[in-house]
Amino acid sequence: MNDMRDLYQEIILDHYKKPRNFHPITDASKKADGHNPLCGDRVTVYLKVDNDRVADVAFQGSGCAIFTASASMMTESLKGKTKDEIRTLFEAFHNLVTGKENEGGSSDRLGKLAAFSGVREFPVRVKCASLPWHTLRAALEGQPIQSGDVISTE
Ligand code: ZN
């Protein structure tokens, strides 16, 4: 268990120090901003969707290590996926970080994203880890952000 934890921590630190897909997409088809006021994390997610599949995804922003690593790993896991696949992944990730994960289920599907399983022990960090995903969903669905959500668009 401790080995697993070290490995997870290493993955998160690596993505924090060298965030992947950290740039704007000038011809993005979808874009959304997110803000986690509890921690000060801010993100803009850029999406290029082609035939219902994600052709490109990138982000910009600033925030804590958990937020940055989550955004970086999220962008890595999305390319080539359909809206439905992303919705499933979002649910699996959300369940993982909030501790609602079903027995033996979603970790396999999540791959490297399972590194965020430790986040559930730190309720304040759950919002940091899920901000990029909420913002992604906002970009994808083009829906107004619901009140009571962690994201504010000020
Ligand atoms: Zn944060």
Side-chain angles (χ1 to χ4, degrees):
M1 194 62 202
N2 281 335
D3 288 352
M4 213 55 185
R5 243 168 222 210
D6 289 349
L7 175 70
Y8 282 169
Q9 221 152 44
E10 237 169 73
I11 294 172
I12 288 172
L13 272 178
D14 179 55
H15 278 264
Y16 174 51
K17 287 182 194 152
K18 290 175 289 178
R20 322 298 202 263
N21 305 302
F22 188 72
H23 56 80
I25 297 176
T26 46
D27 57 344
S29 46
K30 292 164 188 291
K31 182 182 146 200
D33 298 313
H35 176 213
N36 169 15
L38 288 176
C39 177
D41 309 309
R42 281 184 184 276
V43 68
T44 304
V45 173
Y46 302 87
L47 269 175
K48 219 168 134 175
V49 182
D50 189 18
N51 281 331
D52 201 41
R53 280 186 191 276
V54 172
D56 201 7
V57 52
F59 78 104
Q60 285 208 300
S62 62
C64 65
I66 293 290
F67 154 76
T68 308
S70 175
S72 171
M73 285 168 72
M74 178 187 79
T75 57
E76 271 204 323
S77 64
L78 295 183
K79 278 183 200 172
K81 288 210 160 54
T82 65
K83 224 175 176 178
D84 281 348
E85 287 168 340
I86 290 172
R87 203 171 288 136
T88 307
L89 199 61
F90 174 87
E91 269 167 38
F93 183 79
H94 199 256
N95 289 343
L96 178 82
V97 295
T98 53
K100 282 186 234 152
E101 185 190 4
N102 295 328
E103 299 268 316
S106 44
S107 309
D108 294 348
R109 198 170 8 174
L110 284 165
K112 270 207 278 178
L113 293 171
F116 291 94
S117 58
V119 166
R120 72 179 67 160
E121 287 161 42
F122 307 94
V124 164
R125 294 286 167 217
V126 170
K127 291 179 183 355
C128 302
S130 50
L131 175 69
W133 289 87
H134 282 292
T135 311
L136 167 83
R137 195 173 58 174
L140 213 51
E141 313 280 343
Q143 282 172 355
I145 288 155
Q146 289 164 7
S147 59
D149 216 332
V150 293
I151 300 159
S152 101
T153 46
E154 332 151 7

